[in-house]
Amino acid sequence: MSARLGDILVARGLVSREALDGAVGRQQDGGEYIGTALVERGLIEEKALLAVLAELTGLPVLDLPHLRIPAEVIRRIPAKFAWHHRIMPVELAQTTLTIAVANPYDPWPVDDLETHFGLRVSKALASATDIREAIERHYGVAADAIERIMDEEPEAPAEGAAFLPAGTTEDLEKIADSASVIRVVNDVINQAIAERATDIHLESFGDEARLRYRIDGVLRDARISTDLRFLYPAIVSRIKIMSGLDIIERRIPQDGRAKVKVGPREYDLRISAIPTIHGENIVIRILPTTLLLSLSDLGMVAEDLARIDRLIRTPNGILFVTGPTGSGKSTTLYASLKKLNLPGSKLVTIEDPVEYALKGVSQVQVNPKIGLSFARALRHMLRHDPDVIMVGEIRDQETASIAIRAALTGHLVLSTLHTNDAAGAVTRLLDIGVEPYLVASSARAFVAQRLVRVLCPACRVPCTLDAEAAAELGLAADAAPPTAYRAKGCDRCAHSGFKGRTGLYEILMVTAPIRELIVQRAPADQIKHRAVELGMRTLLKDGFEKVARGITTADEVLHVARDQE
């Protein structure tokens, strides 16, 4: 049958004879289904293969992503069975079970279902990708591994009990190092990366355990087996072992790091464990080990991008990037360093922590335990003849003074401040004790930024911006509300309506009029008002333009920038 399938694919021009012969050789070596071999090598699209299989077998092709599968069908077939055979049960009519398969010629799923569950089996076709995603969606992350562990435990744990042997170090290490628990943790991390999550949250609430992923800045519950609560202590211990933490110590917070490789890419995991009344909660921050974004990818309009490009090419002075935690400040600085990282320049950074490794850049991580603070590292760094210095954050008067002195003596300094808007950064520097004339003479610009979610281009829906939102975004009362877009949700965006994030920017250039106000210790609102008169685009204004272009929604912009006007 495989030969017949291959010959038909060749006859229809879907694959070449040489490609088929190579796939057949792989099939014979590893016992792999010919269709899988062709798809995995990129020689044929899954949809084209399914169309031919449907014609040969007479089986219907299912659209699994849009198919509603009853809960009783999922409960009838264990997750480990679905994962093992790579099939998805879709319908149960009396004693007949319909399953979705990618390989209609494999007899084992049908034989096993009929033998173990006493069911008659009817097959339908679906792509291997859709089947895998359907299993993950309906059974949950690592459901098969969790089922396997629970089946192997000789006695079911009591309600509310933790599935752990006696609490000795040896017991904890043994179960945490078991292949099944390792598989559960790996699946949780792999799924997070596949869904573009930046953080993994594992939380214990006594009678239940919760797994959540932060995707595009929003926490989303991940579907998991209810039995996860019995394995929760073992999973926490496994994560602690990965990150070099003390698995016995559960009374104090702990922080650790680990590296994982998923496909061709490596990721740096920052693990934080905190004790709660129901056990330890774990948060894992996921960071690629190499920066993939450049300045042009951050969402700046052409005018702002050109302005930033000019600023980072000045030979001296300070560029401050401001905003709350999680607003993308570090990414902007790293993207700037990436552009400045040329053979003729010496770049050094002081960070807490180092988030991305940049080849050719000397990066120093502060360590308060041994007295290596931002200020101390910066003082010594100036002796290394740098051209560009990045200070992860200006936190105190000493660090600010040294950074300003570096900027005034021929260095370009990049740094961040935690303030709500660009003008507020001036007030912040004065509040920590920096003299106004030093701020005015060293600062080149203050860049405030926020992150907003980007509408999924596959399902966004046109709408008319309501008058209240238009007014808050700064549209004149007599102006016609522009056409905007709202989120709908589809399979491509996990039905959230959004996919990815972009930045809103407010760039306050320190020109002569602004310097004069800084020296006069003018309040932030007066500085901002003058900057707007001089042409500064505010966060709301930048957001409004992105709403009008269909990049994001008015609600997204108002959520992050409403209070900045």
Side-chain angles (χ1 to χ4, degrees):
M1 187 63 72
S2 293
R4 182 186 173 195
L5 171 63
D7 291 338
I8 293 175
L9 294 176
V10 171
R12 297 188 179 183
L14 296 173
V15 296
S16 67
R17 174 58 65 180
E18 293 77 10
L20 176 65
D21 291 342
V24 169
R26 179 174 173 178
Q27 177 199 28
Q28 292 172 345
D29 292 339
E32 189 177 29
Y33 165 50
I34 187 68
T36 302
L38 291 169
V39 170
E40 288 185 352
R41 296 180 69 181
L43 300 174
I44 190 173
E45 293 290 331
E46 284 185 300
K47 287 185 178 179
L49 176 64
L50 284 177
V52 174
L53 287 173
E55 184 178 333
L56 289 175
T57 62
L59 298 176
V61 177
L62 300 180
D63 183 12
L64 277 184
H66 296 94
L67 189 65
R68 183 184 175 277
I69 302 175
E72 57 268 22
V73 177
I74 306 300
R75 289 193 295 266
R76 188 73 172 84
I77 305 301
K80 61 183 180 181
F81 190 97
W83 274 113
H84 177 72
H85 287 294
R86 293 294 191 268
I87 59 100
M88 184 65 207
V90 295
E91 185 180 17
L92 181 61
Q94 297 180 342
T95 60
T96 300
L97 175 71
T98 300
I99 61 172
V101 299
N103 176 9
Y105 305 121
D106 183 2
W108 294 111
V110 174
D111 291 345
D112 282 358
L113 283 167
E114 292 179 344
T115 300
H116 289 90
F117 302 101
L119 298 169
R120 295 182 59 190
V121 178
S122 173
K123 292 186 290 187
L125 294 171
S127 73
T129 300
D130 285 350
I131 290 173
R132 183 182 67 253
E133 291 177 353
I135 295 173
E136 291 173 350
R137 185 167 61 251
H138 290 283
Y139 285 101
V141 180
D144 59 326
I146 293 173
E147 277 188 6
R148 190 172 294 110
I149 296 172
M150 300 304 294
D151 288 345
E152 291 171 356
E153 180 65 5
E155 295 181 5
E159 187 65 28
F163 176 44
L164 272 179
T168 65
T169 304
E170 292 78 11
D171 291 332
L172 286 169
E173 289 180 345
K174 181 179 179 181
I175 190 168
D177 282 333
S178 70
S180 295
V181 172
I182 291 173
R183 162 75 188 284
V184 172
V185 173
N186 290 347
D187 283 355
V188 167
I189 295 171
N190 289 339
Q191 186 69 19
I193 291 171
E195 295 189 15
R196 304 176 296 105
T198 55
D199 301 86
I200 302 170
H201 290 246
L202 277 161
E203 300 158 307
S204 175
F205 297 99
D207 59 346
E208 71 168 320
R210 183 161 63 172
L211 170 65
R212 295 192 288 176
Y213 296 141
R214 188 175 293 279
I215 303 170
D216 297 333
V218 178
L219 277 174
R220 301 181 191 172
D221 285 306
R223 184 178 179 84
I224 56 171
S225 167
T226 56
D227 289 333
L228 182 72
R229 69 188 190 275
F230 300 124
L231 305 176
Y232 189 83
I235 291 170
V236 169
S237 295
R238 174 60 196 165
I239 294 171
K240 283 183 163 186
I241 289 172
M242 286 173 56
S243 52
L245 302 181
D246 186 346
I247 65 172
I248 296 300
E249 181 56 74
R250 306 171 199 166
R251 302 165 299 172
I252 61 174
Q254 297 186 71
D255 294 319
R257 298 176 64 170
K259 279 192 176 181
V260 297
K261 188 172 184 181
V262 178
R265 295 181 61 187
E266 285 190 348
Y267 295 86
D268 195 3
L269 307 182
R270 308 289 169 82
I271 291 93
S272 177
I274 61 169
T276 72
I277 60 172
H278 296 299
E280 291 178 285
N281 283 2
I282 300 286
V283 174
I284 304 174
R285 168 65 58 88
I286 304 171
L287 295 168
T289 54
T290 55
L291 180 68
L292 301 178
L293 295 176
S294 62
L295 279 172
S296 59
D297 300 321
L298 302 184
M300 295 182 190
V301 298
E303 181 183 350
D304 286 347
L305 187 60
R307 186 175 288 135
I308 291 293
D309 188 66
R310 288 194 303 270
L311 285 167
I312 65 175
R313 294 184 187 280
T314 56
N316 54 63
I318 301 182
L319 172 63
F320 287 101
V321 181
T322 77
T325 300
S327 59
K329 300 186 298 297
S330 295
T331 300
T332 299
L333 290 187
Y334 275 112
S336 299
L337 287 176
K338 185 177 179 182
K339 191 158 191 175
L340 292 170
N341 191 10
L342 302 172
S345 298
K346 168 83 170 184
L347 279 65
V348 294
T349 74
I350 312 166
E351 307 171 62
D352 184 21
V354 174
E355 294 191 8
Y356 300 100
L358 296 177
K359 188 176 181 180
V361 179
S362 299
Q363 296 174 269
V364 177
Q365 180 164 314
V366 301
N367 188 347
K369 293 181 180 179
I370 60 173
L372 184 58
S373 63
F374 276 104
R376 184 175 182 182
L378 184 52
R379 276 197 302 271
H380 288 275
M381 193 171 282
L382 292 175
R383 300 171 189 168
H384 283 249
D385 188 30
D387 296 294
V388 181
I389 302 170
M390 186 186 94
V391 182
E393 182 184 350
I394 299 293
R395 297 179 177 178
D396 51 51
Q397 194 271 340
E398 184 181 12
T399 306
S401 296
I402 300 171
I404 286 173
R405 187 165 70 247
L408 293 174
T409 56
H411 303 87
L412 175 63
V413 180
L414 310 177
S415 191
T416 70
L417 281 168
H418 284 278
T419 62
N420 287 330
D421 62 4
V426 176
T427 305
R428 170 66 177 152
L429 288 171
L430 300 183
D431 287 344
I432 65 176
V434 181
E435 291 296 329
Y437 75 91
L438 291 175
V439 177
S441 58
S442 63
R444 294 289 177 262
F446 297 90
V447 181
Q449 68 177 76
R450 296 290 190 278
L451 293 178
V452 292
R453 291 183 294 173
V454 173
L455 282 163
C456 174
C459 65
R460 64 180 186 174
V461 178
C463 66
T464 301
L465 196 63
D466 66 75
E468 183 179 352
E472 288 196 74
L473 287 170
L475 189 68
D478 57 349
T483 298
Y485 290 84
R486 63 177 175 83
K488 180 183 178 183
C490 65
D491 295 319
R492 294 187 184 182
C493 59
H495 299 280
S496 68
F498 298 92
K499 193 169 185 179
R501 289 193 289 178
T502 192
L504 306 182
Y505 298 92
E506 174 180 286
I507 303 178
L508 193 163
M509 300 294 294
V510 183
T511 56
I514 300 300
R515 287 194 192 96
E516 184 177 345
L517 291 174
I518 294 174
V519 172
Q520 295 172 0
R521 291 183 179 268
D525 58 348
Q526 187 177 340
I527 294 174
K528 184 168 187 174
H529 179 73
R530 183 65 176 130
V532 171
E533 287 181 341
L534 294 170
M536 182 181 78
R537 180 189 293 103
T538 64
L539 288 168
L540 270 182
K541 178 66 173 175
D542 193 34
F544 172 75
E545 292 180 6
K546 288 181 169 66
V547 170
R549 289 162 55 194
I551 295 173
T552 189
T553 67
D555 287 343
E556 279 290 303
V557 172
L558 293 173
H559 175 68
V560 301
R562 172 184 274 125
D563 298 329
Q564 307 312 314
E565 293 299 295

